[in-house]
Amino acid sequence: MNFTKSDDAVSEMVDYSIILSIILLATAIIVVAGVPMLEHMQETQHTDNIKQSFQVLAPNVNKVVFGNAPAQSVELKMYGGSLSVTRNNYINISMQVWNNSAGSSETVSFERKMGNIENDFQNTLISYENSGIWAKYSSGDSIMVAEPRFTYANNVLVIPDASISGSSSVSGSGLVRVTADAGRRSIESYQNVSQVSITVTSDYFEAWERYLNEHLEMATINVNETTQTVLAGKSYTENIDVYIIKAFMDVTID
């Protein structure tokens, strides 16, 4: 057969074109869908690593809060984003305390700035705040990563008040060192307490609400999403003792 009149060459060219098209299409799918997926997986892994590093940070800083160490220093790895000390959160504790002299209950309350150590990575916040670890995602949802050190047992309620001061902030990638130095520390005690209310203003107020409900069995009294504030409280059938650990710390990041 005359080669110029053969269809074999045309068939081979068509097959080659089809195969090349399939390869290009597969490459395009990998680039368009696969690369963002890989980047998302990497970001998720970095976020998990940040949570784990804060789970190392928290017990060390808590040693300063509870008077077990004068200072603590922990290295954290950053994957971009920023790490800073912030001062835009508050805790208010209000109690009904029996006054023997007056023969009636009186209201005792005080408010403190808690402060926190906060990592902001890809619009996800991970924070050490008042002895616990909290996370807030880009969706606005917040969760508790590790419980704060509130305890209630045998009619005794212990509330930490870890007040962090400082203005350090760093951004980028690599290792940084967080140092917490103890300041003034005192314990305030109240006997014959019949009612306790706790107000928390925080980026993580929704997670705080769940914690107060589930772990301290306090009922939600009010939630203000605009000010990011939750108020919860509980009345006790038998009067309890309350101890508030007031610990001031200066935190630096370098």
Side-chain angles (χ1 to χ4, degrees):
M1 183 181 296
N2 192 333
F3 180 76
T4 59
K5 297 181 180 179
S6 173
D7 292 333
D8 291 346
V10 175
S11 298
E12 289 182 5
M13 286 299 296
V14 171
D15 292 344
Y16 176 78
S17 298
I18 293 172
I19 294 172
L20 181 60
S21 298
I22 293 173
I23 293 173
L24 292 175
L25 179 61
T27 302
I29 292 173
I30 292 172
V31 171
V32 173
V35 172
M37 185 179 296
L38 289 173
E39 290 178 348
H40 176 70
M41 290 174 62
Q42 187 178 50
E43 290 175 3
T44 300
Q45 183 62 48
H46 289 341
T47 301
D48 289 340
N49 290 341
I50 294 169
K51 287 181 184 177
Q52 291 174 8
S53 66
F54 268 71
Q55 287 175 321
V56 175
L57 172 74
N60 282 279
V61 176
N62 284 342
K63 290 179 182 178
V64 180
V65 174
F66 292 96
N68 298 318
Q72 286 288 287
S73 184
V74 179
E75 279 192 344
L76 302 180
K77 186 174 182 180
M78 295 183 60
Y79 301 89
S82 63
L83 182 68
S84 56
V85 177
T86 67
R87 296 275 291 167
N88 57 355
N89 47 5
Y90 300 84
I91 185 170
N92 179 287
I93 303 167
S94 178
M95 294 166 286
Q96 290 294 320
V97 183
W98 181 258
N99 186 322
N100 287 324
S101 300
S104 61
S105 294
E106 62 180 6
T107 301
V108 177
S109 63
F110 63 90
E111 183 178 40
R112 296 284 188 273
K113 272 190 176 182
M114 293 185 290
N116 60 17
I117 305 167
E118 189 170 74
N119 187 294
D120 186 346
F121 173 72
Q122 296 295 329
N123 295 319
T124 296
L125 302 177
I126 310 293
S127 176
Y128 169 89
E129 181 175 272
N130 203 15
S131 74
I133 306 172
W134 315 85
K136 184 175 183 179
Y137 300 98
S138 56
S139 62
D141 296 329
S142 61
I143 64 169
M144 179 181 66
V145 178
E147 292 184 20
R149 297 283 296 276
F150 291 55
T151 60
Y152 177 65
N154 300 319
N155 291 330
V156 175
L157 175 62
V158 179
I159 302 174
D161 173 27
S163 180
I164 293 175
S165 63
S167 58
S168 298
S169 180
V170 297
S171 59
S173 301
L175 291 176
V176 297
R177 182 172 292 278
V178 178
T179 302
D181 292 303
R184 301 188 313 275
R185 182 177 176 275
S186 62
I187 299 177
E188 294 190 4
S189 61
Y190 304 89
Q191 284 71 44
N192 294 320
V193 177
S194 59
Q195 196 272 342
V196 178
S197 298
I198 297 177
T199 303
V200 176
T201 299
S202 167
D203 286 335
Y204 315 94
F205 71 102
E206 293 172 323
W208 273 104
E209 179 187 7
R210 289 190 293 271
Y211 173 75
L212 295 173
N213 291 167
E214 297 170 7
H215 296 267
L216 295 183
E217 298 181 347
M218 290 186 170
T220 300
I221 299 171
N222 184 53
V223 176
N224 189 323
E225 295 184 357
T226 302
T227 60
Q228 297 187 314
T229 299
V230 58
L231 167 61
K234 181 178 181 179
S235 296
Y236 299 89
T237 55
E238 183 179 349
N239 286 358
I240 67 171
D241 295 336
V242 178
Y243 295 88
I244 300 175
I245 301 174
K246 297 168 56 180
F248 294 85
M249 293 179 292
D250 183 64
V251 174
T252 56
I253 304 172
D254 48 37

